Amino acid sequence: MVIQSDFLVIGSGIAGLSFALQAAAHGTVAVVTKREIAESATRYAQGGIASVFSSEDSFDAHIDDTLVAGAGICHEDVVRMVVEEGPQTIRNLIEWGVKFTTTTKGDEYDLTREGGHSARRILHAEDITGREIERALVEAARQNPNIQVFEYHIAIDLITCAKIARQPVSNNCCKGAYVLDINGKQVRTFSAGATLLASGGAGKVYLYTCNPDVASGDGVAMAYRAGATVANMEFMQFHPTTLFHPNAKSFLISEAVRGEGAILRRRDGTAFMEKYHHLKDLAPRDIVARAIDNEMKTHGDDCVYLDITHEPSDFVRSRFPNIHQTCMEYGLDMTKDWLPVVPAAHYLCGGVAVNMDGQTDLPGLYAIGEVACTGLHGANRLASNSLLEAAVYAGRAARHATDTVSQQQANARDEIPEWDAGTATNSDEMVVVSQNWDEIRRFMWNYVGIVRTTKRLERAMRRIKLIQAEIEDYYWNFIITSDLVELRNIATISELIITCAQQRKESRGLHYTIDYLERDDTNGKQDTIIKKQFA
Ligand SMILES: Cc1cc2nc3c(=O)[nH]c(=O)nc-3n(C[C@H](O)[C@H](O)[C@H](O)COP(=O)(O)OP(=O)(O)OC[C@H]3O[C@@H](n4cnc5c(N)ncnc54)[C@H](O)[C@@H]3O)c2cc1C
């Protein structure tokens, strides 16, 4: 049976749910999401959402800060639009029920400041901003009769006109998606007038990441396979310090710990940051991440250590109650123990290329949030601009999609063929999936991580091609599972990151290669664009 709606939304973080709430005023919305509805990167955002809310701040200042962080390749028109639409977009979130922290007087929002921002402009909900945003959006979506949510449904592939025609077509378009109902173990066909990718980032491509498990780059991989343009995949942002512990896979140790005097040390106790920057442990985020990566690789260590044991324990406990409490749960008392830390993949600046309405170059397909490359972040994201970008684009894409969902598309829905599992059988070799998954994440970390070289990228490309051949073989012979869907996607994302990194022959923003250490403003100052070539 084909499930039809006016809008199909893939993903239920801030991007997907904000879009759904606005599109639902104009038609029916099906939201598919691969775990329970709230599971998303949105839910883990701690810091907040950036926007100009103070008389001491200005749009121009927010724009300048974003451009500086983006290292010369932000799209200035996009930056201006996102910044200027920020305050109204945040008011919409507040109307949907998001409660941001107010000042002690209670009459204004409490604005904090983060690295790279020249003014106080981060709205937050204590230190659990994302959880509060997700809570409010989920509640609003649940109450909306035009929104139907399908949990534990993982989109496998987009349905394109070319797929329906079983051959390349000159006017390709998107008609919906094939989606695996994980619990029901069946592939369902979702057909829609407009399809929105809001499937988040791809941190799971790397061995260490602070992203949740859902961040396997599915949306970018699906869009690329369907023929949409993808851009700037080389720009993966790494957070310098996450707790290195087998059970604490996503736990960030805030930069504020270094702000209060913590020192990074090697296993033998050597403090190393003075070798890398005159600000030592307070150097910018990318420099600290690169320094840690270099120390780990040079000395063959699995992690480095963050030491704040020299500060009074009462101060540490009261300044960092959550971090202290969480570390204690893993048997580490930061007032006495050095904390083992590693950098971790944090945010994907590249993604599916879109215009200012979130439209991809595949008609009928939109992409917003972390899955998209809008031009806002350029080569490096300014802190707390990502939640803002997702929310602003949700409004723009919803307005555009509701205007353009055409009768013609609606009429064509019945032609869509159902998923054909062919002669696929159940696999008794799931070890192939876990082995390939581990191998990809490890070599992406070692060869395509924080510090790159031409040789490492070549090695990584050779490996990914081999693994992809094995996955393709496996993919069509065995009944599809969510693990297999994600494995195929992280392999595709790896290929895209390596391809973009190979094309950028300079160091800029988050892309740092020893073979081209300088920024090249003659040839480099442009987006890296890739598109699948069909035979
Ligand atoms: C630890 C952490 C802290 C952060 N702190 C901040 C911060 O303070 N400020 C800030 O601006 N940004 C922050 N970020 C980044 C920000 O949270 C994300 O960029 C943003 O939430 C992305 O929103 P999204 O809606 O695009 O994707 P997500 O919130 O990740 O949602 C993606 C959704 O898609 C679903 N999905 C994925 N693939 C499929 C598929 N194949 N089929 C069906 N569903 C699928 C997922 O299950 C999920 O529901 C942080 C990120 C992390 C990880």
Side-chain angles (χ1 to χ4, degrees), residues 10-16 32-35 37 39-49 114 153-156 198-201 210-212 214 218-219 222 250 252 346-347 368-371 381 383-388 390:
I10 299 172
S12 56
I14 185 172
V32 297
T33 188
K34 67 180 174 180
R35 299 283 184 275
I37 185 169
E39 186 54 358
S40 57
T42 300
R43 178 190 207 173
Y44 299 97
Q46 299 168 343
I49 179 163
E114 287 185 341
H153 276 62
I154 178 169
I156 305 170
S199 49
C210 60
N211 286 187
V214 291
D218 300 357
M222 284 189 282
S250 297
L252 278 189
H346 184 45
Y347 184 83
I368 59 168
E370 196 168 335
V371 69
R381 173 191 69 128
S384 288
N385 262 356
S386 40
L387 291 171
L388 177 70

Side-chain angles (χ1 to χ4, degrees), residues 297-309:
K297 289 208 173 97
T298 310
H299 297 277
D301 291 336
D302 288 337
C303 64
V304 296
Y305 295 85
L306 196 58
D307 170 17
I308 196 165
T309 56

Side-chain angles (χ1 to χ4, degrees), residues 65 69 113-118 121-122 255 285 381-384:
D65 294 343
R113 193 166 162 180
E114 287 185 341
H117 287 275
S118 57
R121 66 167 72 103
I122 318 295
E255 286 177 82
R285 200 186 258 199
R381 173 191 69 128
L382 182 65
S384 288

